[in-house]
């Protein structure tokens, strides 16, 4: 979920500047004088959700589990409990949902995953990074993606890259990072190409359970 940042620089560390809603004519005259800055830390799946919609976010969660050694390519299925750091909410939902084998299309339709996506979307809306109507990224979100890419260029290959850096790169760069950093898993799991894409989804795709947010606009 969206978190307060620590004083130590970390991946996903961004500053969001928002203006409170204007109330009446007097407030509207002040313009942005009351704008506030909030520093937050985004999980990789949240960055992916902002950039490319729900499939991008779930792809990051699947890759997280693969890097932990509990999801293999092909028809995906968990092979045991995840070890290491605590699972982010969406990754935990994907782990639970893959007790039965699934391709990406099936996984996106499982209720636990849909619920976790809707909750992630709500958190990002509360943080001022997504808007509900018209649905889409806010200016703060677009600016944050640009700043994160400026600070973290796409690695040329996987050599020497820890798992956290790989996840972050895939969240931020999508298909290009998948094919550069985890090509075999990407191909065998059908994460790109004919199997789909982590880029912007087709219009009309539902993002979550009944929330009315088009993934093409996230």
């Amino acid at each position: 979920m969206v978190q307060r940042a620590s004083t130590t620089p970390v991946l996903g560390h961004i500053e969001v500047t928002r203006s409170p809603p204007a109330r009446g004519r007097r407030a509207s005259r002040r313009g942005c004088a009351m704008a506030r800055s909030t520093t937050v830390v985004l999980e990789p799946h949240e960055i992916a959700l902002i950039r490319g919609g729900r499939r991008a976010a779930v792809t990051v969660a699947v890759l997280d589990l693969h890097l932990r050694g509990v999801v293999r390519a092909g028809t995906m299925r968990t092979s045991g409990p995840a070890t290491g750091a605590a699972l982010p909410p969406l990754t935990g939902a994907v782990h639970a949902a893959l007790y039965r084998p699934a391709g990406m299309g099936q996984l996106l339709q499982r209720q636990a995953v849909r619920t976790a996506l809707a909750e992630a979307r709500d958190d990002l809306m509360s943080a001022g990074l997504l808007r509900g109507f018209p649905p889409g990224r806010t200016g703060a979100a677009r600016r944050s993606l640009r700043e994160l890419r400026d600070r973290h260029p796409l690695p040329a290959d996987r050599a020497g890259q820890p798992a956290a850096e790989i996840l972050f790169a895939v969240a931020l760069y999508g298909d290009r990072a998948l094919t550069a950093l985890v090509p075999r898993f990407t191909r065998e799991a059908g994460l790109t190409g004919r199997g789909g894409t982590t880029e912007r989804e087709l219009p009309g795709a539902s993002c979550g359970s009944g929330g009315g947010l088009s993934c093409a606009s996230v």
Side-chain angles (χ1 to χ4, degrees), residues 28-177:
S28 65
R29 289 175 181 171
R30 297 182 207 170
C32 296
M34 298 295 291
R36 296 175 296 168
S37 293
T38 304
T39 302
V40 298
V41 177
L42 298 178
E43 296 279 3
H45 72 268
E46 292 173 321
I47 295 170
L49 183 59
I50 294 169
R51 179 192 57 77
R54 63 175 191 158
R55 186 184 178 105
V58 172
T59 295
V60 166
V62 167
L63 180 59
D64 187 356
L65 293 170
H66 171 68
L67 295 174
R68 294 171 189 254
V70 295
V71 167
R72 295 183 175 86
T75 301
M76 297 177 289
R77 183 176 185 174
T78 51
S79 58
T83 59
L87 296 180
L90 179 60
T91 306
V94 169
H95 183 265
L98 284 177
Y99 75 94
R100 289 184 292 124
M104 182 61 74
Q106 294 171 304
L107 182 58
L108 285 164
Q109 296 305 315
R110 293 191 172 167
Q111 188 58 49
V113 175
R114 291 168 61 87
T115 299
L117 284 166
E119 291 173 352
R121 176 205 61 200
D122 290 345
D123 284 345
L124 292 169
M125 290 177 67
S126 296
L129 295 168
L130 292 180
R131 61 175 183 266
F133 186 81
R137 305 182 189 109
T138 64
R142 292 190 293 271
R143 182 172 61 253
S144 295
L145 289 175
R146 289 194 299 269
E147 292 172 354
L148 287 172
R149 289 187 180 117
D150 287 344
R151 296 203 303 263
H152 304 281
L154 175 63
D157 55 46
R158 185 172 176 173
Q161 297 293 331
E165 294 278 359
I166 294 171
L167 279 179
F168 188 74
V170 171
L172 199 51
Y173 292 99
D175 289 2
R176 287 189 295 155

